Amino acid sequence: MYRTALRNVLAHKGRLLMTALAVMLGTAFVAGTMVFSDTFGKALRDSNSKSYSDVAVQVVDRSAGSRASAREKSESGSATLTDETVRQLASLPGAAGARGVAGGFTGVADKKGDLIGQVWAAKGANFAPGQDGKDPRYPMAEGQGPKNAKEIALDRKTADKAGYKVGDTVRVAANGPVIEAKLTGIFTTDDPVVNTGGTLTLFDKATAQQTLLEPGRYSSIVLTAKPGTSQDELLAQVEPKVTGHQFDVETGTKLQADEQAQITQGTDSMRTMLLVFAFISLFVGIFIIANTFTMLVAQRTKELALLRAIGASRKQVTRSVLIEALVIGTVSAAAGLLAGIGIGAGMQSLIGSLNENMPNGSLVIKPFTVVVTLVVGVLVTVLSALLPAVRAARIAPVAAMSSGDQPTSQKSLVVRNTIGSVLAGGGLALIGYGASTGNDTGRLPVGAGAFLALIGVFVLLPLLSRPVVALLGPLLRALGGTPGKLAQQNAVRNPRRTAATAAALTIGLTLVTGLTVLGTSIGDTIDRAVTKSMKADYIVSTANGMNLSGQVPAQIAKAPGVAASSPMTSAYWKLDGTSKAISGLDAAAFEQLAEIKLTSGSADALGKGQLLVDQDVATKFNVTTGSTMTATFPDGSAGPLTVGGVYEKGGMLGPVLLANSEIAKHDPKPYVADVLVKGKDGATAELKQALKDATGANPVIEVKSKQDVRDDFSQVITFALNLMYGLLGMAVLIAVLGVINTLAMSVFERKREIGMLRAIGLDRRGIKRMVRLESVVISLFGAGIGLLLGCFIAWAVNGTLKSSLAGLTTVVPYGQLAVFLGLAGLVGLVAAIWPARRAARLDILDSIKTD
């Protein structure tokens, strides 16, 4: 029996080729993901290994330069890190030295005025020379460090990238006006931000504090330990000297371990996401493998029955089929492992080519990767072949004297349809329940329901195939005549086979459709929110979302062509004991710049110092127009505020609105997120240029129109969708292989029938058309079910997002879905090319006499 099983593998290697490819592609995706994530993670950890090599203990002021600084300082006092703090810590018994670090965001413009590098990786810091005039953190390769406000130093990579040399004038900016300074030095550094493509600008101490923080203030203090003093001992000495919960005090070892753990967590998250799509591909492969072995067993009915007749037991027959699956799974998984190593190396090279500063390293192939890939490949193949193997063992010895497939019992079909109906019905009910909750509590029911519904639909696909394919009958006859009619009959002749073939495409189209509908719905909601609440022509903000300098709103207001403008401020106050984000606008310009739909009250209330709240806040605090709320301000004082109006939730203005003049009474330096601008002549190119000029052509400050804001959101959504489409591409490719495999084996199975059709007058072109139309029908059937299921699941997921994304409605992009359906039909045509050519080339006499 073992020799028979091995001979069967060799005898049917052509028919098993697509199955082997499906397993190989799925396992290659798994192996490639694991190799890439391990390699990339190690490279990142190695790159960051020196981050805290000169740090024994570090004290960090979390509130320095942060978005929530006003709130944090109001809750924890006004303690900051100063020169006095540095002196106190430097005098500790275990401290060899202490240095203050004034760090923060700093963008560098190239010679064209554009920002160098990515906005999130642009840093600035203070140059802290010792008595020898050198800072050991930043050894100068050329020139010297900055000594006054008109001098800066740049890291070597940034200077080379922009073509700057010592003596050049460089334009830099934080959150304020552009600084034009002389480049006095170019330094080298092992800072991981710089090594991964970021920029680092050095100022003298006073300028760094003035530009990045506040005069006399540090963002962190770094201590080194005396010989014989451990980091933990020094930490124990530092902690009593630094009070306030906004300070983080950690040892260098702990900081480095935390950073390494963060990198590991990030790469693990990336690997998990990629593995999800890899296992989707393997899940698709399960249908192909099961379908292939089912057809092989059907084609070998006589052979297996004869083995039973001469003494083979059921266990031996089952075992022989499983051995075939084991051999194919082992060989395919090994090939997938090799291909996966190549994929991992290719992905690492791709990352390097997209960003030359990304860390690189030798390929990491862990034994765990090898074991997982081989085990997964073998298990998937063997388990997929288990049911066909059991069916093979049930073939009666008397079948050796008959021909054709063994009929499926009516009982088995009734049981299958009953199980499928229960699963699908239960899944759809769970999805409906989850969607009805309207918040994130419904996501688990929706997820569980989607899984059950998907499985239930798969089980019911044979039942669904007959009526769905019958609907296409008139179209097939119109397009293909007799071959079209034959294609329809072939598609419904064996509904289980048709369903198993279509199921692979159903999975892919369900996921693709669901993602597309979700992306379109969210994009439409954001677009409407921006359009609905923004009457301003332009929004001026920093590229990194940081606080705008207080000088910027005044500069913009003076720009030619500006009809009205207002800074959009943010504050965090307690309202009736609950901390809430409050958005501020100038009351006089509010009607020209923003729009809200009031359910009660009036926008004029802003000018009277009253609050405007959205419906959620009104409901939560049980307030309405005329109600009074108690506000606790950053300085600790409290006072009453009257609610002057309630508006519909949604838009960019947030849950609570108040006039800037009222916010300034209690928070002299509120966070300025944006400046809204209305032009005298609308949104014109001249106004946009005037706004840029008013901010000193600052490379960090962006001037965006409504359309620019829309485009930014749509780019993010489009990028995410394209990424998902790319990851799902492997599953779709495997589904195509399944269609090819099924058609090729079906052609072999129907050799006599095809020979008879040729003998009675159907020409080769008609045979090709028949096979192609059959493939298209199966593909469209699977895709159509996937489109419907994907739309329904996306609708349910949207239902769970309504609480966090106001105004969210399900938008079905009919044009895109029509394209998906058309592509599915094209997939069917492409998949049929080889099987159709093979069928057309069959010899008539040889086919008719086939046993």
Side-chain angles (χ1 to χ4, degrees):
M1 291 302 296
Y2 293 128
R3 287 196 297 272
T4 301
L6 293 175
R7 277 200 302 269
N8 281 328
V9 173
L10 296 175
H12 301 129
K13 55 181 177 291
R15 299 181 219 173
L16 293 169
L17 176 62
M18 297 301 173
T19 300
L21 279 175
V23 178
M24 188 198 77
L25 289 174
T27 52
F29 201 163
V30 172
T33 293
M34 298 181 75
V35 169
F36 170 67
S37 58
D38 290 338
T39 301
F40 188 60
K42 183 177 184 300
L44 279 176
R45 288 190 292 272
D46 291 346
S47 174
N48 286 268
S49 61
K50 297 180 181 179
S51 298
Y52 299 98
S53 57
D54 61 341
V55 178
V57 172
Q58 178 174 269
V59 182
V60 176
D61 182 355
R62 288 199 316 272
S63 69
S66 72
R67 177 181 292 267
S69 61
R71 177 176 57 176
E72 290 186 344
K73 283 192 285 184
S74 70
E75 293 176 350
S76 60
S78 58
T80 57
L81 301 177
T82 63
D83 286 323
E84 178 60 28
T85 317
V86 174
R87 284 192 291 271
Q88 288 180 359
L89 296 181
S91 65
L92 292 172
R99 67 173 185 269
V101 178
F105 167 78
T106 303
V108 183
D110 60 19
K111 292 183 177 180
K112 296 180 180 179
D114 297 325
L115 185 69
I116 300 174
Q118 299 295 324
V119 67
W120 52 266
K123 290 174 52 179
N126 60 308
F127 181 69
Q131 294 181 351
D132 59 357
K134 298 179 181 180
D135 187 337
R137 295 174 299 166
Y138 310 114
M140 291 293 160
E142 299 178 33
Q144 61 184 11
K147 296 181 179 178
N148 56 56
K150 294 296 183 180
E151 297 179 349
I152 62 165
L154 290 176
D155 66 272
R156 166 64 73 187
K157 289 186 176 182
T158 300
D160 290 345
K161 192 181 298 181
Y164 285 131
K165 297 179 180 179
V166 172
D168 288 347
T169 298
V170 181
R171 300 172 74 250
V172 299
N175 67 333
V178 172
I179 299 171
E180 293 191 353
K182 180 181 178 181
L183 181 62
T184 61
I186 297 174
F187 59 90
T188 58
T189 178
D190 58 5
D191 189 303
V193 173
V194 175
N195 291 338
T196 53
T199 62
L200 179 57
T201 306
L202 296 182
F203 304 91
D204 69 285
K205 183 181 75 171
T207 304
Q209 292 176 327
Q210 175 69 39
T211 304
L212 306 177
L213 300 166
E214 297 170 358
R217 185 178 181 185
Y218 294 107
S219 55
S220 64
I221 296 175
V222 174
L223 292 89
T224 53
K226 289 180 178 178
T229 302
S230 70
Q231 292 186 0
D232 288 333
E233 290 171 343
L234 182 57
L235 177 68
Q237 296 174 20
V238 170
E239 285 180 328
K241 299 292 183 180
V242 183
T243 59
H245 80 264
Q246 81 271 28
F247 297 128
D248 289 330
V249 187
E250 293 289 357
T251 64
T253 301
K254 178 67 164 51
L255 290 169
Q256 185 167 350
D258 288 345
E259 190 169 87
Q260 300 284 22
Q262 191 174 9
I263 292 171
T264 300
Q265 183 180 8
T267 53
D268 285 349
S269 298
M270 175 185 66
R271 175 165 63 181
T272 300
M273 183 190 73
L274 293 174
L275 283 176
V276 166
F277 287 93
F279 282 108
I280 288 172
S281 299
L282 285 170
F283 186 58
V284 172
I286 287 173
F287 292 92
I288 298 171
I289 298 165
N291 203 22
T292 300
F293 276 95
T294 298
M295 294 182 74
L296 284 175
V297 167
Q299 292 171 9
R300 288 157 45 196
T301 298
K302 284 188 175 183
E303 174 191 329
L304 294 172
L306 188 58
L307 289 172
R308 290 292 314 283
I310 62 175
S313 66
R314 287 189 172 185
K315 286 185 178 180
Q316 286 179 310
V317 172
T318 302
R319 202 176 295 137
S320 69
V321 176
L322 292 179
I323 289 171
E324 292 181 48
L326 178 64
V327 172
I328 293 170
T330 303
V331 173
S332 302
L337 175 63
L338 294 177
I341 293 171
I343 290 173
M347 292 174 71
Q348 184 74 357
S349 298
L350 178 62
I351 291 291
S353 65
L354 294 176
N355 187 344
E356 61 183 14
N357 296 298
M358 291 303 290
N360 208 342
S362 57
L363 214 59
V364 178
I365 306 170
K366 295 182 177 180
F368 182 72
T369 300
V370 176
V371 172
V372 167
T373 304
L374 294 176
V375 169
V376 166
V378 171
L379 276 179
V380 166
T381 311
V382 172
L383 290 177
S384 301
L386 184 60
L387 188 56
V390 171
R391 287 178 183 162
R394 292 176 178 172
I395 295 175
V398 72
M401 296 178 287
S402 64
S403 61
D405 295 347
Q406 296 299 299
T408 303
S409 68
Q410 187 66 27
K411 180 182 178 182
S412 68
L413 291 175
V414 171
V415 170
R416 177 178 181 136
N417 293 336
T418 302
I419 293 173
S421 299
V422 170
L423 289 174
L428 294 176
L430 272 176
I431 292 173
Y433 166 74
S436 68
T437 61
N439 54 50
D440 54 7
T441 59
R443 291 174 191 171
L444 182 60
V446 168
F451 178 76
L452 288 177
L454 201 58
I455 299 300
V457 168
F458 291 159
V459 176
L460 288 174
L461 279 178
L463 178 65
L464 296 172
S465 64
R466 290 185 182 275
V468 173
V469 173
L471 289 175
L472 297 174
L475 179 63
L476 291 173
R477 287 192 291 271
L479 291 175
T482 300
K485 183 178 181 180
L486 291 170
Q488 179 197 0
Q489 293 173 347
N490 289 336
V492 297
R493 178 187 301 177
N494 191 330
R496 282 188 172 180
R497 183 181 306 162
T498 298
T501 307
L505 280 171
T506 299
I507 297 170
L509 266 296
T510 297
L511 295 172
V512 168
T513 301
L515 290 170
T516 302
V517 174
L518 276 174
T520 305
S521 302
I522 292 172
D524 174 75
T525 302
I526 293 172
D527 180 63
R528 284 188 288 106
V530 172
T531 305
K532 181 176 70 172
S533 60
M534 179 179 167
K535 292 171 69 176
D537 295 314
Y538 287 103
I539 298 178
V540 182
S541 58
T542 57
N544 63 346
M546 285 183 61
N547 186 19
L548 277 168
S549 167
Q551 302 171 16
V552 173
Q555 292 170 338
I556 289 173
K558 297 176 183 177
V562 174
S565 68
S566 168
M568 186 172 176
T569 60
S570 295
Y572 290 87
W573 296 354
K574 286 185 177 179
L575 295 178
D576 287 351
T578 302
S579 182
K580 296 296 293 183
I582 298 175
S583 300
L585 283 171
D586 290 346
F590 179 80
E591 294 284 356
Q592 294 175 273
L593 300 172
E595 183 176 12
I596 53 176
K597 189 172 183 180
L598 288 158
T599 58
S600 66
S602 169
D604 294 336
L606 284 177
K608 302 174 184 177
Q610 297 177 348
L611 291 171
L612 297 180
V613 300
D614 72 12
Q615 289 172 320
D616 279 3
V617 172
T619 302
K620 180 178 179 181
F621 291 90
N622 193 26
V623 296
T624 185
T625 300
S627 299
T628 300
M629 302 184 75
T630 301
T632 304
F633 307 116
D635 58 7
S637 63
L641 287 175
T642 302
V643 176
V646 179
Y647 57 92
E648 289 185 357
K649 183 182 177 183
M652 56 180 286
L653 298 178
V656 182
L657 289 173
L658 189 63
N660 280 330
S661 56
E662 292 298 313
I663 293 177
K665 290 178 182 178
H666 306 282
D667 195 346
K669 293 185 178 180
Y671 182 87
V672 181
D674 311 284
V675 178
L676 304 185
V677 181
K678 185 72 174 178
K680 294 177 181 178
D681 301 315
T684 63
E686 291 77 12
L687 176 59
K688 186 171 185 178
Q689 187 60 49
L691 294 175
K692 287 184 176 180
D693 294 340
T695 59
N698 192 321
V700 173
I701 294 180
E702 298 178 330
V703 180
K704 295 182 179 179
S705 65
K706 283 185 184 180
Q707 191 57 49
D708 293 333
V709 175
R710 291 188 188 114
D711 291 343
D712 284 347
F713 283 119
S714 64
Q715 283 175 4
V716 172
I717 293 172
T718 301
F719 174 79
L721 286 176
N722 288 339
L723 177 63
M724 297 299 179
Y725 293 157
L727 293 173
L728 287 171
M730 185 70 76
V732 175
L733 176 60
I734 292 174
V736 173
L737 293 178
V739 177
I740 296 173
N741 203 24
T742 300
L743 288 174
M745 296 182 72
S746 179
V747 166
F748 179 85
E749 194 176 63
R750 304 200 308 255
K751 284 175 67 176
R752 176 178 292 176
E753 175 190 319
I754 292 171
M756 291 295 295
L757 290 172
R758 289 291 313 282
I760 62 175
L762 191 61
D763 60 10
R764 289 186 174 181
R765 183 177 296 178
I767 294 293
K768 286 182 180 180
R769 187 179 302 163
M770 177 186 72
V771 175
R772 287 171 185 161
L773 288 175
E774 179 184 351
S775 176
V776 170
V777 166
I778 293 173
S779 299
L780 289 177
F781 167 62
I785 298 297
L787 289 177
L788 293 174
L789 194 55
C791 287
F792 183 68
I793 292 173
W795 167 82
V797 174
N798 281 339
T800 68
L801 296 173
K802 286 184 177 178
S803 61
S804 54
L805 196 57
L808 178 64
T809 57
T810 300
V811 178
V812 180
Y814 294 103
Q816 283 181 269
L817 299 190
V819 170
F820 293 156
L821 200 60
L823 289 175
L826 184 61
V827 162
L829 281 176
V830 172
I833 291 175
W834 177 55
R837 287 170 60 88
R838 184 179 179 186
R841 290 179 178 180
L842 290 175
D843 183 87
I844 297 176
L845 294 178
D846 286 343
S847 300
I848 292 174
K849 69 179 183 180
T850 299
D851 290 331

